[in-house]
Amino acid sequence: MLKKILVLILSLFYLSNYSFSQDDFSDESADNAQKVLTITGSVIDASSGKAVAGANVVVDDTDLGAAADEDGKFTIEGVQSGSSVTVSAIGYDDLTLYADQAEVNFELTPSAVEMSELEVLASRAGEKTAVAYTDVSKDEIALRLGSQDIPLAMNLVPSVYATNQGGGAG
C-alpha cells in the first residue's frame, strides 16, 4: 500500500512539473513568423543609378512575384516576414534580399552575357528531292530586282508568294 501511495505522489509531482513548465520561446517570435507584409521597393542599376524596368522580383519558394515598372518600382502583397526575395534581369547578376521590412530596394550589378558562336544549319532541295524547287542565282536576283524590293522581285519565281503588307523597306 505504501508503495502505491509513493508511486501516486511521484506521478502527481512529475505531471505537475510537466504541465506547468514553460518553453524558452517567446510569443514575439511566433508573431513575427506569421507576419504578412506588402513589400514595395525599387530596382536600380548599381553603376548608373538608373531604374531597371522589367526586372523580375520573386519571393523564393512561392508563386508570388512582380515585374518592375518603367521607374523600377514593384509591389508584392502577402509576403511572409523574413522570406527571401530574388531579383533577376537580363544583363545583371541575380540579387537576393530578405523581406524583413515593408520596403526592399535592390541595386543590381551589370554582368556581361557571353554567347557562343552562331551556327546556321539548313537543308536544300536537290535533284533527288520529291519537292518542286527552283534555283535562283545571284545574277537572276540582280536582273529581276531592278528598283523593286526583294520580296516583290521573288514573286516572279515559281511557287513563291510575297506581299508588301508589312510595310517598311524590303
Side-chain angles (χ1 to χ4, degrees):
M1 180 76 171
L2 183 63
K3 206 176 197 186
K4 287 184 180 182
I5 293 173
L6 186 60
V7 169
L8 182 63
I9 291 173
L10 286 176
S11 299
L12 288 173
F13 178 73
Y14 175 74
L15 289 175
S16 67
N17 281 342
Y18 180 75
S19 62
F20 292 110
S21 65
Q22 293 183 355
D23 61 9
D24 293 330
F25 304 108
S26 66
D27 292 329
E28 212 173 285
S29 65
D31 289 342
N32 285 341
Q34 299 302 320
K35 190 173 182 181
V36 177
L37 301 171
T38 296
I39 61 170
T40 60
S42 61
V43 183
I44 61 170
D45 183 315
S47 61
S48 69
K50 294 182 180 179
V52 180
N56 294 315
V57 185
V58 178
V59 180
D60 297 336
D61 300 324
T62 69
D63 58 351
L64 300 173
D69 65 11
E70 63 273 357
D71 297 325
K73 306 283 185 196
F74 67 91
T75 301
I76 305 174
E77 297 177 354
V79 179
Q80 291 286 341
S81 178
S83 297
S84 61
V85 181
T86 301
V87 173
S88 61
I90 295 174
Y92 294 92
D93 292 329
D94 293 355
L95 179 62
T96 301
L97 297 177
Y98 293 93
D100 49 2
Q101 56 190 10
E103 186 172 347
V104 182
N105 295 312
F106 294 89
E107 291 186 16
L108 297 182
T109 306
S111 68
V113 177
E114 190 173 316
M115 296 175 54
S116 62
E117 62 185 36
L118 179 65
E119 184 177 339
V120 177
L121 301 175
S123 60
R124 223 180 126 169
E127 292 178 12
K128 296 181 180 179
T129 306
V131 182
Y133 72 95
T134 303
D135 276 332
V136 181
S137 68
K138 181 179 176 182
D139 293 335
E140 273 186 271
I141 292 175
L143 178 68
R144 294 177 186 198
L145 189 58
S147 63
Q148 298 180 34
D149 289 334
I150 291 176
L152 294 178
M154 295 304 293
N155 270 339
L156 301 174
V157 176
S159 301
V160 174
Y161 173 73
T163 180
N164 62 355
Q165 282 181 312

